[in-house]
């Protein structure tokens, strides 16, 4: 006969050996999401613009209905979180509305024309700027040409470059599948479609708010990266370190850039074996020392970590192995953001002259978010509505709630 203590031990041991499924979070209604996440964050906006943002939340809730994120949460929680970030930075209502709809065209049947009809051409241009052209079909891709602002900013090369990027990505994926061996992380990043990043930068040259939207989108994705597979986490981390950390620092969002750099550093080696992870960390630790023996040890460890993955053996120099990476940026080096951002653009552009032209067109982005936030702090009191306006807004939201329930 087993004692009561033994029975409890068996039950607890059996329960701990199995991972019970986590129940999915119940989907919240639009008015619940608004009052919980966006009501306080958007109080600096005029009441009419807040009602417009609530209508955008209703549309995002409707088109993303039934979609789930990797962690099991409703997908609409992601655009709501991005909109909350954008609102916390003091952006205007068009930017908040575009944040709520930034994934709608890419992941749902919603079109750019419908966004234009409902919220205007300005919101449509912002959504087009953050949409990855390699992820949408041909019918939606043709809508890019109907937007004069975006076509002028991008130089009219969307269709050709996106088709070339899709063909190159398909050919690279087929060749890698025939090879049957895992490719290096550097080759994966280089083989990824850089046209999406170039289109993003061209859109940022047309409207600096596109860069703010994309940085906020990447920040929330990096905060919730644990639900993805290890190789995808490493790829996202490397892309963040290469593209979005310099972009955040260039905008003047130094705290955001530091958080992105910290999250990228935590996940950039998730697809490597554990012994290589510790060897990489140790090589970076000893490389900070100035003595020659420590420098030689760091070089040997770096060749051990990156040489086998790249197929070049131990004869490959550490500078060649790390040539695909963006320079390491820390908050103390945020003053060099302009140089790092220029280096990124020249690396992405196939022709140096076009890269230099793109960099010159992006010069107004330098410290743009920091200057905008300084202006918003100065006029924050004047942007808030009165008590009577708050009551009118509550009535508008109640009417929208009744209409959605009907």
């Amino acid at each position: 006969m087993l004692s009561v203590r033994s029975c409890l031990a068996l039950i607890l041991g059996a329960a701990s050996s199995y991972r019970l499924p986590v129940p999915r979070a119940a989907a919240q209604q639009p008015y619940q999401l608004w009052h919980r996440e966006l009501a306080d964050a958007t109080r600096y906006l005029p009441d009419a613009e807040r009602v417009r943002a609530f209508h955008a939340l209703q549309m995002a809730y409707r088109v993303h209905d039934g979609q789930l994120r990797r962690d099991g949460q409703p997908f609409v929680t992601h655009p709501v979180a991005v909109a909350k970030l954008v609102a916390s930075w003091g952006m205007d209502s068009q930017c908040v509305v575009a944040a709520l709809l930034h994934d709608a065209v890419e992941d749902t049947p919603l079109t750019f024309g419908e966004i234009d009809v409902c919220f205007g051409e300005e919101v449509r241009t912002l959504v087009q700027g953050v949409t990855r052209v390699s992820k949408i079909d041909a019918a939606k891709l043709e809508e890019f040409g109907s937007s004069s602002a975006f076509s002028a900013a991008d130089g009219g090369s969307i269709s050709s470059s996106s088709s070339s990027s899709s063909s190159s990505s398909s050919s690279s994926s087929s060749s890698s599948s025939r090879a049957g061996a895992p490719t290096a992380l550097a080759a994966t990043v280089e083989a990824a479609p850089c046209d999406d990043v170039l289109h993003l930068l061209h859109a940022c040259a047309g409207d600096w708010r596109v860069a703010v939207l994309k940085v906020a989108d990447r920040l929330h994705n990096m905060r919730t990266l644990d639900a993805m597979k290890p190789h995808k986490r490493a790829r996202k981390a490397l892309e963040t370190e290469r593209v979005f950390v310099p972009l955040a620092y260039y905008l003047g969002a130094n705290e955001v850039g530091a958080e992105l750099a910290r999250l990228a550093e935590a996940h950039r080696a998730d697809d490597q074996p554990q012994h290589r992870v510790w060897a990489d960390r140790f090589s970076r630790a000893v490389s900070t020392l100035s003595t020659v023996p420590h420098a030689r040890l760091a070089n040997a460890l770096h060749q051990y970590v990156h040489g086998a993955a790249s197929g070049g053996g131990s004869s490959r120099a550490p500078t060649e192995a790390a040539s695909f990476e963006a320079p390491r940026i820390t908050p103390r080096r945020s003053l060099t953001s302009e140089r790092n951002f220029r280096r990124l653009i020249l690396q992405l552009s196939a022709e140096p002259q076009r890269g230099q032209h793109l960099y010159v067109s992006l010069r107004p982005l330098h410290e743009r978010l920091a200057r905008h936030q300084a202006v918003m702090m100065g006029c924050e009191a004047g942007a808030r509505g009165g008590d009577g306006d708050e009551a009118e807004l509550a009535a508008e939201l109640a009417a929208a709630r009744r209409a959605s329930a009907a």
Side-chain angles (χ1 to χ4, degrees), residues 78-317:
H78 169 63
V80 169
V82 175
K84 187 175 180 179
L85 280 172
V86 167
S88 68
W89 298 340
M91 302 302 294
D92 56 10
S93 62
Q94 287 81 7
C95 198
V96 176
V97 171
L100 289 167
L101 301 173
H102 75 277
D103 277 334
V105 178
E106 187 176 321
D107 299 331
T108 72
L110 190 69
T111 63
F112 295 115
E114 293 172 341
I115 294 179
D116 194 347
V117 171
C118 296
F119 300 101
E121 184 179 359
E122 190 173 356
V123 175
R124 169 186 174 157
T125 304
L126 293 175
V127 174
Q128 284 185 170
V130 297
T131 300
R132 293 175 295 178
V133 295
S134 62
K135 300 297 183 180
I136 59 177
D137 53 20
K140 293 180 179 179
L141 190 61
E142 292 177 356
E143 291 190 88
F144 275 95
S146 61
S147 179
S148 58
F150 191 81
S151 299
D154 192 64
S157 61
I158 292 176
S159 300
S160 60
S161 59
S162 62
S163 60
S164 62
S165 66
S166 60
S167 60
S168 62
S169 60
S170 61
S171 61
S172 62
S173 61
S174 60
S175 61
S176 62
S177 61
R178 287 194 301 267
T183 57
L185 186 58
T188 303
V189 173
E190 290 296 332
C194 294
D195 290 328
D196 287 339
V197 181
L198 286 176
H199 292 154
L200 170 65
L201 295 178
H202 280 290
C204 294
D207 196 329
W208 69 278
R209 294 173 295 179
V210 175
V212 177
L213 284 170
K214 201 62 181 179
V215 168
D217 177 34
R218 181 51 61 102
L219 178 59
H220 184 255
N221 282 331
M222 291 299 294
R223 286 175 176 176
T224 58
L225 199 63
D226 292 333
M228 300 184 70
K229 296 181 179 179
H231 69 280
K232 292 185 178 181
R233 292 200 301 265
R235 187 176 66 222
K236 286 285 186 182
L238 186 58
E239 184 184 24
T240 300
E241 191 176 39
R242 184 190 182 198
V243 178
F244 293 99
V245 171
L247 180 59
Y249 278 117
Y250 193 73
L251 282 171
N254 295 330
E255 294 182 0
V256 176
E259 183 176 358
L260 286 174
R262 185 173 64 253
L263 293 171
E265 181 70 21
H267 293 286
R268 67 188 304 271
D270 284 355
D271 65 333
Q272 298 182 10
Q274 194 63 28
H275 65 280
R276 293 191 181 278
V277 174
W278 286 107
D280 188 24
R281 292 177 180 175
F282 185 67
S283 66
R284 283 185 274 112
V286 299
S287 62
T288 59
L289 302 176
S290 59
T291 57
V292 175
H294 289 151
R296 291 178 178 176
L297 178 60
N299 291 338
L301 287 172
H302 195 98
Q303 290 177 0
Y304 171 73
V305 173
H306 298 280
S310 60
S314 60
S315 61
R316 183 167 181 171

Side-chain angles (χ1 to χ4, degrees), residues 339-358:
R339 183 184 61 187
N340 295 326
F341 191 64
R342 181 175 182 271
R343 186 181 306 171
L344 166 67
I345 295 174
L346 294 179
Q347 287 177 356
L348 291 174
S349 301
E351 301 178 4
Q353 294 181 352
R354 295 186 64 180
Q356 184 65 26
H357 175 73
L358 177 59

Side-chain angles (χ1 to χ4, degrees), residues 322-400:
S323 60
F324 66 92
E325 298 180 9
R328 302 273 179 168
I329 303 177
T330 61
R332 291 174 296 180
R333 293 176 55 193
S334 60
L335 295 178
T336 63
S337 59
E338 187 172 0
R339 183 184 61 187
N340 295 326
F341 191 64
R342 181 175 182 271
R343 186 181 306 171
L344 166 67
I345 295 174
L346 294 179
Q347 287 177 356
L348 291 174
S349 301
E351 301 178 4
Q353 294 181 352
R354 295 186 64 180
Q356 184 65 26
H357 175 73
L358 177 59
Y359 172 71
V360 172
S361 63
L362 288 170
R363 287 295 299 271
L365 265 72
H366 189 50
E367 302 289 337
R368 186 65 177 83
L369 182 58
R371 288 185 276 118
H372 172 77
Q373 289 178 335
V375 173
M376 289 298 298
M377 289 177 62
C379 61
E380 182 180 4
R384 295 181 182 271
D387 296 336
D389 296 335
E390 289 290 334
E392 184 179 354
L393 176 62
E396 290 275 355
L397 293 176

